[in-house]
Amino acid sequence: MKFIKSLYLNNFFFYVLLGIIGMFVCAFIFPRLYDGVWFVVLVLSTFLLLDILLLYAAKTGIEATRSTPEKLSNGDLNPIKIAIKNQYTFSISVKIIDEIPFQFQVRDFKILKNIKASAHEDIQYELRPTERGEYFFGNLNIYVSSPLKLISRRFTFDKDQMVPTYPSYIQLKKYDLFAFSNNLFQYGIKKIRRIGHTMEFEQIKEYVPGDDLRTLNWKATAKKNALMVNQFQDEKSQSVYLAIDKGRSMQMPFNGLSLLDYAINSTLVLSNVILKKQDKAGIFAFSKKVENRVFAEKRGSQMQKILETLYNIKTDFFESDYSRLYVDIKKNINQRSLIILYTNFETMDGLNRQLPYLKGIAKNHLLVVIFFSNTELNQIINKKTETIQEVYDKVIAEKFMFEKRLIANELKKYGIHSILTQPENLTLDAINKYLEIKSRGIL
């Protein structure tokens, strides 16, 4: 029974069989071909038996394993590796059908490969998950054919393997050095004039061209008989909270990911930057209520705690309650902090409903509101119009884009910082804004 389940007839066998049937048809017209056709049938049967013997003579014809990352990175390409060792004494052709998780909705996955006798082959493909959670791999099915190619023998490996998908830790590694690098020009950071001296004293050093002359230390200069300046560093141990709106406004998809998942990925990377800058990072999410809370600290286990919390954020995309957010912040965050709010406003009416609560938060904290530009509107705006309907669509799209800019100006009017960004630029724009605030010393 096991033998029958693993035996598959290849397309080449059926092509030959169709040719034989055609020869039998011709034999009715040309009877002399009849004996020759039966000879061909005998040859086919002989090769079929030989092919079966070649593939089934060895008990373990091949060995194969599937290697996956310990966890998948959401929104990124993750490498999946398959290692195959050919234990046959002849070259084989393999068709690999990996039963990848249902979340990817891939129904035609296959890889074709030729492997030499007694050789080892490493094969890699990539998967891009678009939601967090558990991903279950099924069987790794490998169909092996000999050089005769009449039949295939199926081998099955690595049954029921589960891999969790976490927020984008690949981005975390990408921006890791960004946290403490002073050379930020390649990322679009400009030199920011510091407001006052909200910096911590670090050391006295010898003056070099480019140092701020206002920081000259005259006593040290007199002693050393050389220009000496005071060197300062950014204040440390400041509290930064990343608030994620997980309401229905964050349900909009972009390139497979929801805005919520873009915000979660950005939160993970920005938290790492904050901790590397010696500040305290905390997070929480809200919709109908405030939950998934991690209080701002800078202990060694903080990043792992944040990662696990972000992984477990779940939502039904209810309407977000900003009044509850305001009350929760007033109750639980007593020290003045930087609060970076990931949310989305599409219209001025939507902003005006929540503006009293945002102004209330901004009275006691430095508030940065991050919301998203609708990139699909850019396609409509940049498209050449040819019909009245297309002109109408373009005007409406420009109206919505203009309203986004009005939202940013309205927030600025009340001393609330804002970032209007595209989803793919979210992480970099958020890091830039945090570093700008640190550089200006306005927290």
Side-chain angles (χ1 to χ4, degrees), residues 20 25 53 84 95 103 107 127 132 223 234 251 264 284 287 301 335 344-345 363 378 426 431:
I20 291 173
V25 172
L53 287 172
I84 303 176
K95 179 169 71 172
Q103 288 95 332
R107 297 289 179 265
L127 294 176
R132 288 161 291 113
K223 286 181 181 180
D234 291 338
Q251 192 175 9
I264 288 172
F284 56 87
S287 58
S301 61
Q335 180 185 2
N344 196 34
F345 295 112
K363 282 182 180 178
N378 290 331
L426 172 61
I431 294 173

Coordinates of all heavy atoms in Angstrom, one line a residue, residues 20 25 53 84 95 103 107 127 132 223 234 251 264 284 287 301 335 344-345 363 378 426 431:
I20 N 1.5 5.3 -28.6 CA 1.2 3.9 -28.8 C -0.2 3.7 -29.3 O -0.5 2.9 -30.2 CB 1.5 3.0 -27.6 CG1 3.0 2.9 -27.3 CG2 0.9 1.6 -27.7 CD1 3.4 2.3 -26.0
V25 N -4.1 2.7 -33.9 CA -5.1 3.3 -34.8 C -4.6 3.1 -36.3 O -5.3 2.7 -37.2 CB -5.5 4.7 -34.5 CG1 -6.3 5.3 -35.6 CG2 -6.2 4.8 -33.2
L53 N 12.5 -0.4 -10.5 CA 13.6 -1.0 -9.8 C 14.7 0.0 -9.5 O 15.2 0.0 -8.4 CB 14.2 -2.2 -10.7 CG 13.4 -3.4 -10.8 CD1 14.0 -4.4 -11.8 CD2 13.3 -4.1 -9.4
I84 N 19.0 18.9 0.0 CA 18.7 17.6 -0.5 C 20.0 16.9 -0.8 O 20.9 17.4 -1.4 CB 17.9 17.7 -1.8 CG1 16.6 18.4 -1.6 CG2 17.6 16.3 -2.4 CD1 15.8 18.6 -2.9
K95 N 11.1 17.2 -8.3 CA 10.1 18.3 -8.3 C 9.7 18.5 -6.8 O 9.2 17.5 -6.1 CB 8.8 17.9 -9.1 CG 7.7 18.9 -9.0 CD 6.6 18.7 -10.1 CE 5.8 17.5 -9.7 NZ 4.6 17.3 -10.6
Q103 N -1.7 31.1 4.9 CA -1.8 32.5 4.9 C -1.3 33.1 3.6 O -1.7 34.2 3.2 CB -1.1 33.2 6.0 CG -1.7 33.0 7.4 CD -1.2 31.8 8.1 OE1 -0.7 30.8 7.5 NE2 -1.2 31.8 9.5
R107 N -1.0 28.2 -4.4 CA -1.5 26.9 -4.7 C -0.7 26.2 -5.8 O -1.0 25.1 -6.2 CB -3.0 27.0 -5.1 CG -3.9 27.5 -4.0 CD -4.1 26.4 -2.9 NE -4.9 26.9 -1.8 CZ -4.5 27.4 -0.7 NH1 -3.2 27.6 -0.5 NH2 -5.3 27.8 0.2
L127 N 9.7 33.9 1.3 CA 8.3 34.1 1.7 C 8.2 35.5 2.4 O 9.0 35.8 3.2 CB 7.7 33.0 2.6 CG 7.6 31.6 2.0 CD1 7.2 30.6 3.1 CD2 6.7 31.5 0.9
R132 N 0.9 39.0 11.5 CA 1.6 38.4 12.6 C 0.8 37.1 13.0 O -0.4 37.0 12.7 CB 1.7 39.3 13.8 CG 2.7 40.4 13.6 CD 2.4 41.6 14.6 NE 1.2 42.3 14.3 CZ 0.1 42.3 15.0 NH1 0.1 41.6 16.2 NH2 -1.0 42.9 14.7
K223 N 44.3 78.2 31.7 CA 45.2 77.3 32.3 C 46.1 76.6 31.2 O 47.3 76.4 31.4 CB 44.5 76.2 33.1 CG 43.9 76.8 34.4 CD 43.2 75.6 35.2 CE 42.7 76.2 36.5 NZ 41.9 75.1 37.3
D234 N 23.5 64.6 24.6 CA 22.0 64.6 24.8 C 21.6 64.1 26.1 O 22.3 63.3 26.7 CB 21.4 63.7 23.7 CG 21.5 64.3 22.3 OD1 21.7 65.5 22.2 OD2 21.4 63.5 21.4
Q251 N -6.9 50.1 9.5 CA -7.2 48.8 8.8 C -6.8 48.9 7.3 O -6.6 47.9 6.6 CB -8.7 48.5 8.9 CG -9.0 47.1 8.4 CD -10.5 46.7 8.7 OE1 -11.3 47.6 9.1 NE2 -10.8 45.5 8.5
I264 N 3.3 48.9 13.9 CA 4.0 47.9 14.8 C 5.4 47.7 14.4 O 6.3 47.7 15.3 CB 3.2 46.6 14.8 CG1 1.8 46.8 15.5 CG2 4.0 45.5 15.5 CD1 0.9 45.6 15.4
F284 N 2.1 51.3 24.2 CA 0.7 50.9 24.5 C -0.1 51.0 23.2 O 0.2 51.8 22.3 CB 0.1 51.6 25.7 CG 0.1 53.1 25.5 CD1 -1.0 53.7 24.9 CD2 1.1 53.9 26.0 CE1 -1.1 55.1 24.8 CE2 1.1 55.3 25.9 CZ 0.0 55.9 25.3
S287 N -7.9 51.2 21.3 CA -9.0 51.4 20.4 C -10.2 51.7 21.3 O -10.4 52.9 21.7 CB -9.3 50.2 19.5 OG -9.5 49.0 20.2
S301 N 16.1 43.8 29.4 CA 15.1 42.9 28.9 C 13.9 43.7 28.2 O 13.0 43.1 27.8 CB 14.5 42.0 30.0 OG 13.9 42.8 31.0
Q335 N 5.3 61.9 34.5 CA 6.4 62.7 34.1 C 6.3 63.1 32.7 O 5.7 62.4 31.8 CB 7.7 61.8 34.2 CG 9.0 62.5 33.8 CD 10.1 61.5 33.8 OE1 10.0 60.3 34.1 NE2 11.3 62.0 33.5
N344 N -4.3 57.6 12.0 CA -4.6 58.1 10.7 C -5.8 59.0 10.7 O -6.8 58.6 11.2 CB -4.7 56.9 9.7 CG -4.6 57.4 8.3 OD1 -3.8 58.3 7.9 ND2 -5.3 56.7 7.4
F345 N -5.7 60.1 10.0 CA -6.8 61.0 9.8 C -7.0 61.2 8.3 O -6.0 61.6 7.6 CB -6.6 62.3 10.5 CG -6.6 62.3 12.0 CD1 -5.4 62.5 12.7 CD2 -7.7 61.9 12.8 CE1 -5.3 62.4 14.1 CE2 -7.6 61.8 14.1 CZ -6.4 62.1 14.8
K363 N -0.7 69.4 26.4 CA -0.4 70.4 27.5 C 0.7 69.9 28.5 O 1.4 70.7 29.0 CB -1.7 70.6 28.3 CG -2.7 71.5 27.6 CD -3.9 71.8 28.5 CE -4.9 72.7 27.8 NZ -6.1 72.9 28.6
N378 N -2.1 59.5 -5.2 CA -1.0 60.0 -6.1 C -1.1 59.5 -7.5 O -0.8 60.2 -8.5 CB 0.4 59.7 -5.5 CG 0.7 60.5 -4.2 OD1 0.2 61.6 -4.1 ND2 1.4 59.9 -3.3
L426 N 7.7 55.1 6.7 CA 7.2 55.4 8.1 C 8.4 55.2 9.1 O 8.6 56.1 9.9 CB 6.1 54.4 8.5 CG 5.7 54.4 10.0 CD1 5.2 55.8 10.4 CD2 4.6 53.4 10.2
I431 N 12.1 57.7 13.0 CA 13.4 57.8 13.6 C 14.0 59.2 13.4 O 14.6 59.8 14.4 CB 14.4 56.8 13.0 CG1 14.0 55.4 13.3 CG2 15.8 57.0 13.5 CD1 14.7 54.3 12.6

